[in-house]
């Protein structure tokens, strides 16, 4: 027998079941995304602590090492690139945050490939052992370094070289190369502890963003709008139409439904305040026949002109500025941004998939769904972009 509430209905239980399935699915997706980034940060932390090379690692390489120089890492597939135009790169820094998006295997505009060979990171320099010769970038002479955020290209400027050059690597090896180059540069300037402290801070901040298991939806929380196809969105559209139709009828100002003809009558001295004839309607035939003649009929007086009622000039403003009805006080009217929404926000708003994986503030996308990625470059990327901010 199907479960029913005190009213004998079963739709509330079906609504609660759907909500719980949706909440669990969204939570698991957000938790998986969080766990992947947490694992990556901890892997980088272990690598940063144990990243030490050796002189034996350079055995067999056509590279002469200094007395205190060791090989830290080598990649057999790398391309030497040069920039055709003058470029100014930022000073090298120790940022080690993992990339947020995949790199595309493309060469940026204005960059050409001039050689290919093996890339070697040592404790003192970056070296390319190419088919046309060797190219060195000593850490002590680097004045600028930039990693392309969309392509696996790293450009380097040094003091004794006018043209900016660098390396282009396979997309799957670019992130590791950049991290190991940062560690080698940090060792050269004796800043390895700063890199470790930065990773510890990133891990601690990420731990605070771990998604919470959502509350269980109960049949008592179901709203009558859940029974309407389309839910709250359909109700909102119907309410908007109900408000717009009367306003449109008033604005149209239809003519008098009686359809009586209008005649122009000359203004009398008593109604001479108007410079134009007044519009009056003739008396009906029955009224004209029953009227008694008088010796001196009084001159007809012009009636005061009447106007149809006009709508107020003030624009009608929908409650909550278009936001769906909710007990959370969330609206689109402008106010404080919401970075930690209530656990039941998806009961009242249509949330995007992976909603709890968002890292920003609450926004509404152009398709009507809400996302927790406000302020991010990819906010509502799969939902036609950001429409407006949800506030409280």
């Amino acid at each position: 027998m199907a479960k029913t509430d005190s009213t004998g209905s079963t739709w509330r239980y079906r609504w609660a079941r759907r909500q719980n399935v949706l909440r669990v699915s969204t939570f698991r997706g957000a938790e998986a995304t969080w766990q992947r980034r947490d694992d990556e940060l901890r892997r980088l932390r272990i690598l940063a602590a144990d990243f030490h090379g050796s002189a034996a690692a350079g055995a067999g390489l056509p590279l002469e090492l200094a007395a205190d120089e060791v090989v830290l890492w080598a990649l057999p597939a790398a391309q030497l690139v040069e920039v055709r135009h003058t470029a100014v790169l930022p000073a090298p820094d120790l940022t080690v945050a993992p990339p947020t998006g995949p790199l595309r295997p493309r060469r940026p505009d204005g960059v050409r490939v001039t050689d290919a060979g093996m890339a070697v990171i040592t404790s003192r320099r970056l070296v390319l052992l190419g088919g046309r010769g060797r190219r060195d970038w000593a850490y002590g002479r680097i004045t600028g370094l930039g990693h392309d955020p969309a392509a696996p290209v790293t450009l380097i400027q040094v003091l004794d070289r006018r043209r900016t050059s660098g390396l282009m690597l396979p997309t799957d090896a670019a992130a590791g190369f950049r991290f190991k180059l940062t560690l080698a540069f940090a060792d050269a300037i004796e800043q390895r502890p700063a890199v470790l402290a930065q990773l510890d801070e990133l891990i601690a901040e990420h731990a605070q963003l771990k998604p919470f298991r959502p509350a269980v939806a109960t049949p008592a929380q179901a709203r009558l709008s859940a029974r309407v196809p389309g839910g709250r969105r359909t109700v909102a559209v119907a309410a908007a139409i109900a408000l717009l139709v009367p306003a449109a009828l008033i604005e149209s100002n239809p003519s008098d439904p009686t359809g009586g003809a209008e005649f122009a009558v000359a203004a009398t001295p008593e109604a001479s305040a108007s410079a134009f004839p007044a519009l009056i309607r003739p008396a009906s035939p029955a009224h004209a026949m029953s009227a008694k003649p008088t010796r001196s009929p009084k001159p007809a007086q012009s009636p005061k002109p009447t106007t149809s009622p006009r709508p107020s000039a003030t624009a009608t403003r929908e409650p909550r500025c278009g936001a769906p009805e909710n007990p959370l006080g969330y609206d689109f009217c402008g106010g404080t941004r919401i970075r930690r929404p209530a656990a039941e926000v998806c009961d009242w708003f249509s949330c995007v998939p992976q909603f709890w994986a968002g890292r920003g503030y609450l926004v509404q996308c152009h398709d009507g769904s809400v996302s927790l990625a406000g302020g991010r470059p990819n906010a509502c990327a799969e939902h036609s972009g950001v429409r407006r901010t949800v506030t409280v």
Side-chain angles (χ1 to χ4, degrees):
M1 180 179 295
K3 295 181 179 180
T4 59
D5 59 6
S6 59
T7 62
S9 62
T10 60
W11 66 270
R12 295 179 184 272
Y13 286 90
R14 292 194 298 268
W15 174 88
R17 182 179 180 279
R18 290 194 303 268
Q19 284 294 316
N20 288 325
V21 170
L22 177 62
R23 292 183 185 185
V24 171
S25 175
T26 303
F27 166 74
R28 288 177 178 174
E31 187 180 38
T33 302
W34 179 91
Q35 190 62 52
R36 285 194 297 269
R37 185 169 179 83
D38 186 72
D39 293 342
E40 177 65 13
L41 288 172
R42 295 184 184 278
R43 185 188 67 81
L44 295 179
R45 177 63 174 79
I46 295 174
L47 178 60
D50 300 335
F51 186 64
H52 302 288
S54 64
L61 296 178
L63 179 64
E64 295 182 2
L65 301 177
D68 58 345
E69 187 177 11
V70 296
V71 173
L72 301 174
W73 185 76
L75 180 68
Q79 293 178 313
L80 176 66
V81 296
E82 292 184 348
V83 180
R84 297 188 178 94
H85 55 274
T86 303
V88 179
L89 300 179
D93 59 18
L94 302 179
T95 302
V96 294
T100 57
L103 299 176
R104 293 176 293 175
R106 66 172 183 84
R107 188 173 70 251
D109 296 336
V111 174
R112 63 177 181 175
V113 177
T114 60
D115 200 358
M118 176 180 291
V120 181
I121 297 177
T122 75
S123 57
R124 299 181 62 177
R125 54 185 167 160
L126 170 64
V127 185
L128 176 73
L129 303 175
R132 299 181 179 179
R134 191 185 74 189
R135 180 67 62 91
D136 291 25
W137 295 273
Y139 302 141
R141 304 186 67 82
I142 293 179
T143 59
L145 188 147
H147 302 299
D148 194 304
V153 174
T154 296
L155 298 177
I156 306 172
Q157 286 178 335
V158 293
L159 290 173
D160 55 353
R161 196 173 297 136
R162 292 180 58 185
R163 190 180 295 273
T164 300
S165 59
L167 295 179
M168 181 173 180
L169 298 97
T171 54
D172 56 348
F177 164 77
R178 295 175 178 182
F179 182 72
K180 294 177 177 69
L181 180 62
T182 301
L183 291 178
F185 184 81
D187 280 344
I189 60 175
E190 300 180 353
Q191 290 295 322
R192 176 77 72 95
V195 175
L196 296 175
Q198 181 185 166
L199 288 170
D200 290 335
E201 183 179 356
L202 290 174
I203 293 173
E205 290 179 354
H206 186 64
Q208 298 179 356
L209 300 177
K210 186 173 183 179
F212 294 98
R213 183 174 293 276
V216 177
T218 62
Q221 296 174 337
R223 298 287 177 175
L224 291 177
S225 59
R227 304 192 66 181
V228 180
R232 294 186 297 274
R233 189 175 301 175
T234 302
V235 174
V237 172
I241 294 175
L243 291 174
L244 292 176
V245 169
L249 292 177
I250 294 176
E251 183 67 22
S252 63
N253 191 21
S255 59
D256 194 335
T258 58
E262 294 180 343
F263 297 91
V265 180
T268 60
E270 297 181 4
S272 60
S274 175
F276 297 94
L279 294 178
I280 62 173
R281 299 189 184 278
S284 61
H287 184 271
M289 292 178 63
S290 61
K292 295 181 180 180
T294 56
R295 295 182 179 179
S296 57
K298 295 182 179 180
Q301 295 186 0
S302 173
K304 294 182 180 180
T306 59
T307 58
S308 300
R310 306 292 295 176
S312 172
T314 304
T316 302
R317 183 178 182 180
E318 297 183 6
R320 298 168 299 279
C321 301
E325 180 181 0
N326 65 92
L328 309 176
Y330 296 172
D331 55 39
F332 301 142
C333 301
T336 304
R337 292 175 176 173
I338 305 167
R339 295 186 177 271
R340 294 182 178 272
E344 62 272 18
V345 62
C346 294
D347 293 343
W348 306 97
F349 292 81
S350 177
C351 297
V352 300
Q354 308 293 331
F355 172 80
W356 295 106
R359 297 293 177 265
Y361 52 84
L362 198 61
V363 294
Q364 185 192 39
C365 307
H366 275 287
D367 64 353
S369 58
V370 295
S371 170
L372 196 54
R376 298 282 181 172
N378 60 343
C380 295
E382 299 180 357
H383 302 271
S384 304
V386 177
R387 180 183 179 187
R388 50 191 170 182
T389 302
V390 184
T391 56
V392 65

